[in-house]
Amino acid sequence: RFGFARTPSPNSRTGKAKSVILVNLTGGMSHIDSLDLKPDAPEEIRGEFKSINTSVPGIQVCEHLPQLAARMRGTLAACHRQGTRIVTNMGVANVAAAADVVIDVARSQGLDGLTVAAIEGDDVSHLIGPDTILFDNHDKSIAEVGRPVVGANVYLGIDAIIPGLETGADVVITGRVADPSLFLSPLVHHFGWQRDDWQRLGQGTLVGHLMECGMQITGGYFADPGRKDVPRLVDCGYPIAEVGEDG
């Protein structure tokens, strides 16, 4: 499911066609260490990092992630002006809160009419109980393992993201999704690929797999730290893919 929000606009109008989509990936830190620290939870459950306030009252993030709103402040106005749409998984464990941050940035920058689609549905914590079997833990149940459940999320795919794109939203923000789907969804939406066109879907998925690797495919994999050190890896850029209708 997805939520939909729009900043106030004195003159409602249909936006121009947008053919360029900026995908902004973040990764590495778990939900409990990024956007859902559970600071009021018992010590054995909450994340190890401290929480900090954001520009949205009541919304907190990890002390190591103050740049999330800053990223939007640095890119949102330019993208909105040029008709560039943003698809991102920066919603992590609290998609609604992340969407609120984007809307707050848009309002502060006077971006009238900017819309945000928040894709939810990856949180399946309500389906987890004491009798749930953990297949990666010797088929033991939650009760047998005897540890508290912090959260449970599944990977969503293009079927969850495309409805957000179909709304025409300027920003589509998700939680846990398959990395290639952030790239495949815009391709399917823009080119009108059929859901059973396996050749194009496969090619688009390959594009997504490569792009989600970021700087690893622009020089990062050339290095083997300790065996083949490469200077200035920090200067590796991020890849850009130009994909045609035929995939």
Side-chain angles (χ1 to χ4, degrees):
R1 63 186 187 276
F2 64 89
F4 192 64
R6 179 188 298 271
T7 55
S9 176
N11 299 307
S12 178
R13 65 184 188 279
T14 302
K16 64 180 180 180
K18 306 176 180 68
S19 59
V20 179
I21 296 184
L22 166 69
V23 179
N24 189 357
L25 280 169
T26 61
M29 299 176 72
S30 67
H31 292 183
I32 198 67
D33 292 326
S34 52
L35 292 182
D36 191 22
L37 281 76
K38 294 179 169 49
D40 298 324
E43 183 178 358
E44 64 271 18
I45 293 180
R46 66 175 181 265
E48 62 178 300
F49 303 120
K50 296 179 181 179
S51 57
I52 59 174
N53 292 324
T54 67
S55 56
V56 179
I59 301 299
Q60 295 182 321
V61 297
C62 172
E63 60 183 322
H64 298 299
L65 293 181
Q67 73 271 27
L68 290 180
R71 288 176 179 173
M72 284 297 172
R73 282 194 291 270
T75 60
L76 197 57
C79 288
H80 188 53
R81 183 171 59 252
Q82 296 297 327
T84 300
R85 303 170 70 181
I86 299 175
V87 183
T88 175
N89 59 0
M90 288 192 293
V92 196
N94 196 337
V95 179
D100 284 340
V101 170
V102 177
I103 288 293
D104 183 67
V105 171
R107 286 172 175 159
S108 69
Q109 295 184 341
L111 303 179
D112 293 339
L114 182 136
T115 55
V116 179
I119 311 300
E120 297 180 317
D122 60 299
D123 187 347
V124 294
S125 301
H126 62 287
L127 300 178
I128 306 299
D131 297 328
T132 300
I133 300 298
L134 300 176
F135 297 104
D136 60 347
N137 203 318
H138 307 292
D139 292 340
K140 292 182 178 180
S141 68
I142 293 288
E144 290 174 318
V145 172
R147 297 181 64 84
V149 177
V150 173
N153 297 75
V154 296
Y155 283 92
L156 301 181
I158 66 172
D159 288 342
I161 299 174
I162 289 176
L165 290 168
E166 289 175 340
T167 67
D170 299 284
V171 179
V172 178
I173 189 163
T174 78
R176 178 75 73 180
V177 293
D179 290 341
S181 67
L182 290 168
F183 300 85
L184 181 59
S185 297
L187 293 174
V188 173
H189 172 68
H190 179 70
F191 291 123
W193 291 348
Q194 298 300 310
R195 304 296 177 87
D196 60 354
D197 189 343
W198 306 117
Q199 182 66 34
R200 286 184 172 85
L201 293 177
Q203 293 169 187
T205 299
L206 176 59
V207 170
H209 272 301
L210 291 173
M211 293 294 289
E212 60 100 354
C213 289
M215 58 80 63
Q216 298 293 354
I217 65 170
T218 59
Y221 280 136
F222 181 72
D224 188 2
R227 295 189 178 184
K228 186 175 65 175
D229 293 317
V230 177
R232 297 178 58 195
L233 283 178
V234 71
D235 293 330
C236 287
Y238 281 85
I240 297 175
E242 296 183 4
V243 185
E245 187 174 358
D246 60 358

